[in-house]
Amino acid sequence: QVQLVESGGGLVQAGGSLTLSCAASGRTFSIYAMSWFRQAPGKEREFVAGIRWSDGITYYADSVKGRFTISRDNAKNTVYLQMNSLKPDDTAVYYCAAGRNRGITLPNPSEYNYWGQGTQVTVSS
């Protein structure tokens, strides 16, 4: 089993920045990739960014490219999401997810094995 704990959410004005953290514990050696998803009220959960644990290759949703950066610290088993130039549309609960499968399709939430509890990000206009 792998446990994921997110932190760093909060309230920020449009144009501001926040950094989310996701600390993994347990059988972390089994993780192939980790990603961030978000879910706004009344909307489906959507992929934000992902990173392959072994080589650090990253993937982003078009809506956040150039504004968000995902990174990892292998020694700390932690993934970060640096969010800049935040917009009110970025308001959502942000979830960290981890997948074991080497063939994982990163944007597909059903392919992840572990999820964090979520952290609220609110961007005011």
Side-chain angles (χ1 to χ4, degrees), residues 1-2 26-33 53 99-101 113-114:
Q1 286 287 346
V2 173
R27 298 171 65 87
T28 56
F29 61 86
S30 67
I31 296 173
Y32 176 73
W53 203 245
R100 300 191 306 256
N101 187 358
N113 306 99
Y114 309 104

Side-chain angles (χ1 to χ4, degrees), residues 42-125:
K43 295 187 177 181
E44 293 187 353
R45 190 167 297 191
E46 66 171 349
F47 173 79
V48 175
I51 187 166
R52 293 201 314 209
W53 203 245
S54 59
D55 55 18
I57 292 181
T58 57
Y59 304 85
Y60 295 93
D62 288 343
S63 59
V64 305
K65 278 181 183 176
R67 300 189 299 123
F68 291 10
T69 302
I70 188 171
S71 62
R72 87 230 190 275
D73 184 330
N74 289 39
K76 295 182 179 180
N77 291 322
T78 299
V79 170
Y80 304 95
L81 186 67
Q82 173 68 43
M83 305 185 293
N84 299 326
S85 302
L86 282 161
K87 306 173 182 179
D89 284 349
D90 295 317
T91 295
V93 177
Y94 282 70
Y95 297 91
C96 176
R100 300 191 306 256
N101 187 358
R102 289 184 175 273
I104 191 172
T105 301
L106 290 181
N108 187 349
S110 67
E111 297 194 24
Y112 288 80
N113 306 99
Y114 309 104
W115 290 86
Q117 80 286 356
T119 185
Q120 177 71 46
V121 172
T122 303
V123 184
S124 63
S125 56

